[in-house]
Amino acid sequence: MPLDALRFFHRDIADFLESILHPKEDPAAPPPKEILKGITKDEVLRIFGGMAKLDLEKSLAGGIGIFGDDGARVRKNSRAGKNTHLWNPVTLALGLNDVYRVPMSHLKKAFATQADLRPWKAAWLESLALLGE
């Protein structure tokens, strides 16, 4: 058929234009990822375990707040037990540097190379800027 012989219904053109101007969310698309509040104890031990001269596993297992009352500890929800605590890696790293003298270069390298720390990289860089590092 020649191009000038093609005919379209007005409603089809309007629907097509509407879909371009106001796209609907794809129901098959994966749901948006939940905002992360912290990393698990296993991730903390894997990332920061060998950096400080302390028994980090024992400190985390106690469920107490490291570096203050709550410090680096955050919870998944108010009903969570001590084994479901999450830890803020930025606060934890800054505390390890301040209290246990973990070299800042080791911590910077961890945030640059560890995939688990990518969501907190912006907060880490902001903290470094505030500290003048």
Side-chain angles (χ1 to χ4, degrees):
M1 282 184 121
L3 192 55
D4 61 345
L6 292 177
R7 302 282 184 236
F8 298 98
F9 289 113
H10 183 267
R11 70 169 185 261
D12 291 339
I13 295 172
D15 288 344
F16 178 71
L17 195 61
E18 182 68 25
S19 70
I20 291 174
L21 294 175
H22 304 288
K24 296 180 182 177
E25 291 184 26
D26 183 13
K33 198 170 188 178
E34 181 181 332
I35 296 174
L36 298 175
K37 294 182 180 180
I39 57 177
T40 63
K41 180 177 91 168
D42 293 334
E43 291 170 325
V44 170
L45 293 174
R46 185 174 44 78
I47 295 168
F48 300 112
M51 292 185 186
K53 293 181 180 179
L54 86 143
D55 188 358
L56 192 57
E57 183 173 11
K58 184 179 178 183
S59 297
L60 296 175
I64 60 171
I66 296 179
F67 313 124
D69 290 338
D70 282 333
R73 183 184 67 189
V74 293
R75 290 180 180 241
K76 286 184 182 179
N77 59 40
S78 61
R79 296 181 186 177
K82 70 179 183 179
N83 294 325
T84 58
H85 290 297
L86 295 176
W87 303 89
N88 182 318
V90 174
T91 307
L92 189 62
L94 293 173
L96 288 172
N97 174 259
D98 188 43
V99 177
Y100 295 99
R101 301 293 180 223
V102 173
M104 192 60 80
S105 61
H106 292 20
L107 299 169
K108 287 179 182 179
K109 183 177 180 182
F111 276 90
T113 59
Q114 296 290 332
D116 296 331
L117 297 179
R118 281 192 194 123
W120 290 277
K121 191 169 184 176
W124 172 249
L125 293 175
E126 181 181 348
S127 297
L128 290 180
L130 291 172
L131 292 173
E133 289 283 334

PDB file of all heavy atoms in Angstrom, residues 15-46:
ATOM      1  N   ASP A  15      -4.544   7.496  21.651  1.00  0.00           N
ATOM      2  CA  ASP A  15      -3.993   6.533  22.616  1.00  0.00           C
ATOM      3  C   ASP A  15      -2.478   6.426  22.475  1.00  0.00           C
ATOM      4  O   ASP A  15      -1.745   6.361  23.469  1.00  0.00           O
ATOM      5  CB  ASP A  15      -4.630   5.155  22.421  1.00  0.00           C
ATOM      6  CG  ASP A  15      -6.070   5.106  22.881  1.00  0.00           C
ATOM      7  OD1 ASP A  15      -6.500   6.022  23.627  1.00  0.00           O
ATOM      8  OD2 ASP A  15      -6.781   4.146  22.491  1.00  0.00           O
ATOM      9  N   PHE A  16      -2.000   6.392  21.229  1.00  0.00           N
ATOM     10  CA  PHE A  16      -0.568   6.319  20.991  1.00  0.00           C
ATOM     11  C   PHE A  16       0.147   7.554  21.531  1.00  0.00           C
ATOM     12  O   PHE A  16       1.181   7.461  22.193  1.00  0.00           O
ATOM     13  CB  PHE A  16      -0.294   6.144  19.487  1.00  0.00           C
ATOM     14  CG  PHE A  16       1.159   6.104  19.145  1.00  0.00           C
ATOM     15  CD1 PHE A  16       1.933   5.013  19.500  1.00  0.00           C
ATOM     16  CD2 PHE A  16       1.755   7.156  18.462  1.00  0.00           C
ATOM     17  CE1 PHE A  16       3.279   4.969  19.190  1.00  0.00           C
ATOM     18  CE2 PHE A  16       3.099   7.117  18.147  1.00  0.00           C
ATOM     19  CZ  PHE A  16       3.872   6.031  18.509  1.00  0.00           C
ATOM     20  N   LEU A  17      -0.414   8.714  21.277  1.00  0.00           N
ATOM     21  CA  LEU A  17       0.158   9.964  21.771  1.00  0.00           C
ATOM     22  C   LEU A  17       0.153  10.006  23.294  1.00  0.00           C
ATOM     23  O   LEU A  17       1.127  10.437  23.919  1.00  0.00           O
ATOM     24  CB  LEU A  17      -0.624  11.143  21.191  1.00  0.00           C
ATOM     25  CG  LEU A  17       0.026  12.504  21.300  1.00  0.00           C
ATOM     26  CD1 LEU A  17       1.352  12.513  20.563  1.00  0.00           C
ATOM     27  CD2 LEU A  17      -0.889  13.562  20.724  1.00  0.00           C
ATOM     28  N   GLU A  18      -0.935   9.532  23.899  1.00  0.00           N
ATOM     29  CA  GLU A  18      -1.037   9.491  25.362  1.00  0.00           C
ATOM     30  C   GLU A  18       0.029   8.566  25.947  1.00  0.00           C
ATOM     31  O   GLU A  18       0.639   8.872  26.971  1.00  0.00           O
ATOM     32  CB  GLU A  18      -2.434   9.020  25.775  1.00  0.00           C
ATOM     33  CG  GLU A  18      -2.673   8.992  27.261  1.00  0.00           C
ATOM     34  CD  GLU A  18      -2.710  10.372  27.891  1.00  0.00           C
ATOM     35  OE1 GLU A  18      -3.015  11.360  27.196  1.00  0.00           O
ATOM     36  OE2 GLU A  18      -2.425  10.454  29.100  1.00  0.00           O
ATOM     37  N   SER A  19       0.266   7.424  25.295  1.00  0.00           N
ATOM     38  CA  SER A  19       1.272   6.489  25.806  1.00  0.00           C
ATOM     39  C   SER A  19       2.685   7.070  25.709  1.00  0.00           C
ATOM     40  O   SER A  19       3.548   6.735  26.518  1.00  0.00           O
ATOM     41  CB  SER A  19       1.190   5.163  25.064  1.00  0.00           C
ATOM     42  OG  SER A  19       1.632   5.319  23.727  1.00  0.00           O
ATOM     43  N   ILE A  20       2.916   7.936  24.727  1.00  0.00           N
ATOM     44  CA  ILE A  20       4.230   8.576  24.606  1.00  0.00           C
ATOM     45  C   ILE A  20       4.386   9.691  25.638  1.00  0.00           C
ATOM     46  O   ILE A  20       5.416   9.815  26.296  1.00  0.00           O
ATOM     47  CB  ILE A  20       4.447   9.125  23.181  1.00  0.00           C
ATOM     48  CG1 ILE A  20       4.581   7.969  22.194  1.00  0.00           C
ATOM     49  CG2 ILE A  20       5.671  10.027  23.126  1.00  0.00           C
ATOM     50  CD1 ILE A  20       4.661   8.404  20.756  1.00  0.00           C
ATOM     51  N   LEU A  21       3.348  10.502  25.783  1.00  0.00           N
ATOM     52  CA  LEU A  21       3.425  11.646  26.698  1.00  0.00           C
ATOM     53  C   LEU A  21       3.366  11.230  28.171  1.00  0.00           C
ATOM     54  O   LEU A  21       4.004  11.845  29.016  1.00  0.00           O
ATOM     55  CB  LEU A  21       2.309  12.644  26.396  1.00  0.00           C
ATOM     56  CG  LEU A  21       2.386  13.339  25.039  1.00  0.00           C
ATOM     57  CD1 LEU A  21       1.155  14.213  24.817  1.00  0.00           C
ATOM     58  CD2 LEU A  21       3.650  14.167  24.935  1.00  0.00           C
ATOM     59  N   HIS A  22       2.589  10.203  28.483  1.00  0.00           N
ATOM     60  CA  HIS A  22       2.410   9.754  29.864  1.00  0.00           C
ATOM     61  C   HIS A  22       2.569   8.240  29.933  1.00  0.00           C
ATOM     62  O   HIS A  22       1.590   7.513  30.030  1.00  0.00           O
ATOM     63  CB  HIS A  22       1.022  10.155  30.383  1.00  0.00           C
ATOM     64  CG  HIS A  22       0.748  11.618  30.275  1.00  0.00           C
ATOM     65  ND1 HIS A  22       1.358  12.549  31.073  1.00  0.00           N
ATOM     66  CD2 HIS A  22      -0.064  12.321  29.447  1.00  0.00           C
ATOM     67  CE1 HIS A  22       0.933  13.764  30.753  1.00  0.00           C
ATOM     68  NE2 HIS A  22       0.071  13.644  29.757  1.00  0.00           N
ATOM     69  N   PRO A  23       3.810   7.752  29.904  1.00  0.00           N
ATOM     70  CA  PRO A  23       4.000   6.300  29.916  1.00  0.00           C
ATOM     71  C   PRO A  23       3.561   5.698  31.249  1.00  0.00           C
ATOM     72  O   PRO A  23       3.743   6.293  32.309  1.00  0.00           O
ATOM     73  CB  PRO A  23       5.502   6.133  29.701  1.00  0.00           C
ATOM     74  CG  PRO A  23       6.104   7.422  30.116  1.00  0.00           C
ATOM     75  CD  PRO A  23       5.063   8.470  29.876  1.00  0.00           C
ATOM     76  N   LYS A  24       2.955   4.529  31.176  1.00  0.00           N
ATOM     77  CA  LYS A  24       2.529   3.806  32.366  1.00  0.00           C
ATOM     78  C   LYS A  24       3.665   2.896  32.801  1.00  0.00           C
ATOM     79  O   LYS A  24       4.495   2.479  31.995  1.00  0.00           O
ATOM     80  CB  LYS A  24       1.286   2.982  32.070  1.00  0.00           C
ATOM     81  CG  LYS A  24       0.085   3.829  31.721  1.00  0.00           C
ATOM     82  CD  LYS A  24      -1.122   2.967  31.436  1.00  0.00           C
ATOM     83  CE  LYS A  24      -2.300   3.837  31.051  1.00  0.00           C
ATOM     84  NZ  LYS A  24      -3.466   3.053  30.688  1.00  0.00           N
ATOM     85  N   GLU A  25       3.685   2.579  34.107  1.00  0.00           N
ATOM     86  CA  GLU A  25       4.702   1.671  34.610  1.00  0.00           C
ATOM     87  C   GLU A  25       4.444   0.272  34.085  1.00  0.00           C
ATOM     88  O   GLU A  25       3.304  -0.174  34.014  1.00  0.00           O
ATOM     89  CB  GLU A  25       4.685   1.663  36.132  1.00  0.00           C
ATOM     90  CG  GLU A  25       5.160   2.959  36.731  1.00  0.00           C
ATOM     91  CD  GLU A  25       5.215   2.883  38.240  1.00  0.00           C
ATOM     92  OE1 GLU A  25       5.367   1.762  38.775  1.00  0.00           O
ATOM     93  OE2 GLU A  25       5.105   3.928  38.862  1.00  0.00           O
ATOM     94  N   ASP A  26       5.500  -0.401  33.726  1.00  0.00           N
ATOM     95  CA  ASP A  26       5.406  -1.755  33.212  1.00  0.00           C
ATOM     96  C   ASP A  26       5.147  -2.710  34.376  1.00  0.00           C
ATOM     97  O   ASP A  26       5.943  -2.786  35.302  1.00  0.00           O
ATOM     98  CB  ASP A  26       6.705  -2.127  32.501  1.00  0.00           C
ATOM     99  CG  ASP A  26       6.667  -3.502  31.872  1.00  0.00           C
ATOM    100  OD1 ASP A  26       5.566  -4.075  31.765  1.00  0.00           O
ATOM    101  OD2 ASP A  26       7.742  -3.994  31.487  1.00  0.00           O
ATOM    102  N   PRO A  27       4.021  -3.446  34.354  1.00  0.00           N
ATOM    103  CA  PRO A  27       3.750  -4.353  35.473  1.00  0.00           C
ATOM    104  C   PRO A  27       4.751  -5.495  35.575  1.00  0.00           C
ATOM    105  O   PRO A  27       4.939  -6.064  36.631  1.00  0.00           O
ATOM    106  CB  PRO A  27       2.342  -4.888  35.184  1.00  0.00           C
ATOM    107  CG  PRO A  27       2.107  -4.632  33.743  1.00  0.00           C
ATOM    108  CD  PRO A  27       2.981  -3.475  33.350  1.00  0.00           C
ATOM    109  N   ALA A  28       5.427  -5.828  34.478  1.00  0.00           N
ATOM    110  CA  ALA A  28       6.417  -6.896  34.493  1.00  0.00           C
ATOM    111  C   ALA A  28       7.773  -6.414  34.996  1.00  0.00           C
ATOM    112  O   ALA A  28       8.655  -7.212  35.279  1.00  0.00           O
ATOM    113  CB  ALA A  28       6.571  -7.478  33.098  1.00  0.00           C
ATOM    114  N   ALA A  29       7.938  -5.100  35.108  1.00  0.00           N
ATOM    115  CA  ALA A  29       9.214  -4.557  35.567  1.00  0.00           C
ATOM    116  C   ALA A  29       9.409  -4.879  37.044  1.00  0.00           C
ATOM    117  O   ALA A  29       8.445  -4.953  37.806  1.00  0.00           O
ATOM    118  CB  ALA A  29       9.245  -3.043  35.363  1.00  0.00           C
ATOM    119  N   PRO A  30      10.646  -5.088  37.479  1.00  0.00           N
ATOM    120  CA  PRO A  30      10.880  -5.393  38.893  1.00  0.00           C
ATOM    121  C   PRO A  30      10.523  -4.185  39.759  1.00  0.00           C
ATOM    122  O   PRO A  30      10.648  -3.041  39.327  1.00  0.00           O
ATOM    123  CB  PRO A  30      12.379  -5.683  38.950  1.00  0.00           C
ATOM    124  CG  PRO A  30      12.951  -5.039  37.753  1.00  0.00           C
ATOM    125  CD  PRO A  30      11.869  -5.037  36.714  1.00  0.00           C
ATOM    126  N   PRO A  31      10.053  -4.425  40.974  1.00  0.00           N
ATOM    127  CA  PRO A  31       9.697  -3.311  41.848  1.00  0.00           C
ATOM    128  C   PRO A  31      10.939  -2.498  42.207  1.00  0.00           C
ATOM    129  O   PRO A  31      12.047  -3.033  42.177  1.00  0.00           O
ATOM    130  CB  PRO A  31       9.113  -3.995  43.086  1.00  0.00           C
ATOM    131  CG  PRO A  31       9.661  -5.374  43.057  1.00  0.00           C
ATOM    132  CD  PRO A  31       9.884  -5.706  41.616  1.00  0.00           C
ATOM    133  N   PRO A  32      10.777  -1.222  42.522  1.00  0.00           N
ATOM    134  CA  PRO A  32      11.947  -0.423  42.876  1.00  0.00           C
ATOM    135  C   PRO A  32      12.614  -0.998  44.114  1.00  0.00           C
ATOM    136  O   PRO A  32      11.963  -1.510  45.018  1.00  0.00           O
ATOM    137  CB  PRO A  32      11.371   0.970  43.154  1.00  0.00           C
ATOM    138  CG  PRO A  32       9.906   0.794  43.275  1.00  0.00           C
ATOM    139  CD  PRO A  32       9.541  -0.473  42.603  1.00  0.00           C
ATOM    140  N   LYS A  33      13.938  -0.912  44.140  1.00  0.00           N
ATOM    141  CA  LYS A  33      14.715  -1.477  45.227  1.00  0.00           C
ATOM    142  C   LYS A  33      14.495  -0.671  46.501  1.00  0.00           C
ATOM    143  O   LYS A  33      14.468   0.548  46.475  1.00  0.00           O
ATOM    144  CB  LYS A  33      16.194  -1.480  44.847  1.00  0.00           C
ATOM    145  CG  LYS A  33      17.024  -2.398  45.675  1.00  0.00           C
ATOM    146  CD  LYS A  33      18.405  -2.515  45.082  1.00  0.00           C
ATOM    147  CE  LYS A  33      19.176  -3.594  45.807  1.00  0.00           C
ATOM    148  NZ  LYS A  33      20.487  -3.783  45.257  1.00  0.00           N
ATOM    149  N   GLU A  34      14.351  -1.380  47.603  1.00  0.00           N
ATOM    150  CA  GLU A  34      14.146  -0.729  48.894  1.00  0.00           C
ATOM    151  C   GLU A  34      15.400   0.054  49.273  1.00  0.00           C
ATOM    152  O   GLU A  34      16.523  -0.372  49.010  1.00  0.00           O
ATOM    153  CB  GLU A  34      13.869  -1.800  49.946  1.00  0.00           C
ATOM    154  CG  GLU A  34      13.609  -1.243  51.321  1.00  0.00           C
ATOM    155  CD  GLU A  34      13.374  -2.339  52.343  1.00  0.00           C
ATOM    156  OE1 GLU A  34      12.903  -3.411  51.956  1.00  0.00           O
ATOM    157  OE2 GLU A  34      13.676  -2.102  53.503  1.00  0.00           O
ATOM    158  N   ILE A  35      15.190   1.195  49.880  1.00  0.00           N
ATOM    159  CA  ILE A  35      16.320   2.000  50.320  1.00  0.00           C
ATOM    160  C   ILE A  35      17.029   1.247  51.433  1.00  0.00           C
ATOM    161  O   ILE A  35      16.412   0.817  52.408  1.00  0.00           O
ATOM    162  CB  ILE A  35      15.852   3.383  50.807  1.00  0.00           C
ATOM    163  CG1 ILE A  35      15.234   4.152  49.659  1.00  0.00           C
ATOM    164  CG2 ILE A  35      17.003   4.155  51.427  1.00  0.00           C
ATOM    165  CD1 ILE A  35      14.622   5.467  50.063  1.00  0.00           C
ATOM    166  N   LEU A  36      18.311   1.083  51.280  1.00  0.00           N
ATOM    167  CA  LEU A  36      19.074   0.325  52.249  1.00  0.00           C
ATOM    168  C   LEU A  36      19.338   1.160  53.490  1.00  0.00           C
ATOM    169  O   LEU A  36      19.649   2.344  53.409  1.00  0.00           O
ATOM    170  CB  LEU A  36      20.394  -0.132  51.632  1.00  0.00           C
ATOM    171  CG  LEU A  36      20.258  -1.051  50.432  1.00  0.00           C
ATOM    172  CD1 LEU A  36      21.619  -1.325  49.832  1.00  0.00           C
ATOM    173  CD2 LEU A  36      19.603  -2.353  50.828  1.00  0.00           C
ATOM    174  N   LYS A  37      19.212   0.522  54.639  1.00  0.00           N
ATOM    175  CA  LYS A  37      19.463   1.216  55.890  1.00  0.00           C
ATOM    176  C   LYS A  37      20.821   0.853  56.463  1.00  0.00           C
ATOM    177  O   LYS A  37      21.349   1.572  57.283  1.00  0.00           O
ATOM    178  CB  LYS A  37      18.369   0.879  56.898  1.00  0.00           C
ATOM    179  CG  LYS A  37      17.009   1.398  56.493  1.00  0.00           C
ATOM    180  CD  LYS A  37      15.989   1.080  57.543  1.00  0.00           C
ATOM    181  CE  LYS A  37      14.641   1.618  57.115  1.00  0.00           C
ATOM    182  NZ  LYS A  37      13.601   1.339  58.090  1.00  0.00           N
ATOM    183  N   GLY A  38      21.375  -0.262  56.048  1.00  0.00           N
ATOM    184  CA  GLY A  38      22.653  -0.691  56.592  1.00  0.00           C
ATOM    185  C   GLY A  38      23.087  -2.000  55.971  1.00  0.00           C
ATOM    186  O   GLY A  38      22.427  -2.548  55.098  1.00  0.00           O
ATOM    187  N   ILE A  39      24.217  -2.504  56.464  1.00  0.00           N
ATOM    188  CA  ILE A  39      24.729  -3.783  55.984  1.00  0.00           C
ATOM    189  C   ILE A  39      24.664  -4.783  57.130  1.00  0.00           C
ATOM    190  O   ILE A  39      24.656  -4.409  58.307  1.00  0.00           O
ATOM    191  CB  ILE A  39      26.161  -3.660  55.418  1.00  0.00           C
ATOM    192  CG1 ILE A  39      27.129  -3.089  56.446  1.00  0.00           C
ATOM    193  CG2 ILE A  39      26.165  -2.820  54.163  1.00  0.00           C
ATOM    194  CD1 ILE A  39      28.574  -3.020  55.974  1.00  0.00           C
ATOM    195  N   THR A  40      24.620  -6.050  56.797  1.00  0.00           N
ATOM    196  CA  THR A  40      24.491  -7.099  57.799  1.00  0.00           C
ATOM    197  C   THR A  40      25.821  -7.340  58.509  1.00  0.00           C
ATOM    198  O   THR A  40      26.883  -6.870  58.073  1.00  0.00           O
ATOM    199  CB  THR A  40      24.031  -8.415  57.152  1.00  0.00           C
ATOM    200  OG1 THR A  40      25.035  -8.851  56.234  1.00  0.00           O
ATOM    201  CG2 THR A  40      22.699  -8.245  56.451  1.00  0.00           C
ATOM    202  N   LYS A  41      25.752  -8.116  59.581  1.00  0.00           N
ATOM    203  CA  LYS A  41      26.950  -8.434  60.359  1.00  0.00           C
ATOM    204  C   LYS A  41      27.973  -9.171  59.497  1.00  0.00           C
ATOM    205  O   LYS A  41      29.176  -8.880  59.573  1.00  0.00           O
ATOM    206  CB  LYS A  41      26.566  -9.276  61.574  1.00  0.00           C
ATOM    207  CG  LYS A  41      27.748  -9.655  62.438  1.00  0.00           C
ATOM    208  CD  LYS A  41      27.310 -10.428  63.654  1.00  0.00           C
ATOM    209  CE  LYS A  41      27.341 -11.889  63.333  1.00  0.00           C
ATOM    210  NZ  LYS A  41      27.194 -12.756  64.508  1.00  0.00           N
ATOM    211  N   ASP A  42      27.504 -10.092  58.669  1.00  0.00           N
ATOM    212  CA  ASP A  42      28.429 -10.846  57.813  1.00  0.00           C
ATOM    213  C   ASP A  42      29.151  -9.926  56.831  1.00  0.00           C
ATOM    214  O   ASP A  42      30.350 -10.100  56.576  1.00  0.00           O
ATOM    215  CB  ASP A  42      27.680 -11.939  57.051  1.00  0.00           C
ATOM    216  CG  ASP A  42      27.147 -13.021  57.977  1.00  0.00           C
ATOM    217  OD1 ASP A  42      27.725 -13.213  59.065  1.00  0.00           O
ATOM    218  OD2 ASP A  42      26.147 -13.671  57.608  1.00  0.00           O
ATOM    219  N   GLU A  43      28.424  -8.954  56.279  1.00  0.00           N
ATOM    220  CA  GLU A  43      29.057  -8.002  55.362  1.00  0.00           C
ATOM    221  C   GLU A  43      30.063  -7.121  56.098  1.00  0.00           C
ATOM    222  O   GLU A  43      31.141  -6.838  55.573  1.00  0.00           O
ATOM    223  CB  GLU A  43      27.988  -7.145  54.685  1.00  0.00           C
ATOM    224  CG  GLU A  43      27.122  -7.921  53.714  1.00  0.00           C
ATOM    225  CD  GLU A  43      25.917  -7.138  53.224  1.00  0.00           C
ATOM    226  OE1 GLU A  43      25.347  -6.343  54.001  1.00  0.00           O
ATOM    227  OE2 GLU A  43      25.551  -7.328  52.055  1.00  0.00           O
ATOM    228  N   VAL A  44      29.732  -6.707  57.315  1.00  0.00           N
ATOM    229  CA  VAL A  44      30.670  -5.894  58.107  1.00  0.00           C
ATOM    230  C   VAL A  44      31.945  -6.677  58.361  1.00  0.00           C
ATOM    231  O   VAL A  44      33.055  -6.158  58.190  1.00  0.00           O
ATOM    232  CB  VAL A  44      30.030  -5.464  59.455  1.00  0.00           C
ATOM    233  CG1 VAL A  44      31.073  -4.845  60.368  1.00  0.00           C
ATOM    234  CG2 VAL A  44      28.894  -4.495  59.228  1.00  0.00           C
ATOM    235  N   LEU A  45      31.803  -7.931  58.753  1.00  0.00           N
ATOM    236  CA  LEU A  45      32.984  -8.753  59.041  1.00  0.00           C
ATOM    237  C   LEU A  45      33.827  -8.985  57.790  1.00  0.00           C
ATOM    238  O   LEU A  45      35.058  -8.973  57.856  1.00  0.00           O
ATOM    239  CB  LEU A  45      32.557 -10.082  59.657  1.00  0.00           C
ATOM    240  CG  LEU A  45      31.925  -9.983  61.042  1.00  0.00           C
ATOM    241  CD1 LEU A  45      31.421 -11.343  61.487  1.00  0.00           C
ATOM    242  CD2 LEU A  45      32.887  -9.396  62.051  1.00  0.00           C
ATOM    243  N   ARG A  46      33.157  -9.180  56.658  1.00  0.00           N
ATOM    244  CA  ARG A  46      33.900  -9.403  55.414  1.00  0.00           C
ATOM    245  C   ARG A  46      34.640  -8.154  54.966  1.00  0.00           C
ATOM    246  O   ARG A  46      35.774  -8.219  54.514  1.00  0.00           O
ATOM    247  CB  ARG A  46      32.941  -9.871  54.315  1.00  0.00           C
ATOM    248  CG  ARG A  46      33.638 -10.250  53.019  1.00  0.00           C
ATOM    249  CD  ARG A  46      32.689 -10.839  51.998  1.00  0.00           C
ATOM    250  NE  ARG A  46      31.428 -10.163  51.847  1.00  0.00           N
ATOM    251  CZ  ARG A  46      31.266  -9.018  51.161  1.00  0.00           C
ATOM    252  NH1 ARG A  46      32.292  -8.440  50.586  1.00  0.00           N
ATOM    253  NH2 ARG A  46      30.080  -8.474  51.045  1.00  0.00           N
TER     254      ARG A  46
END
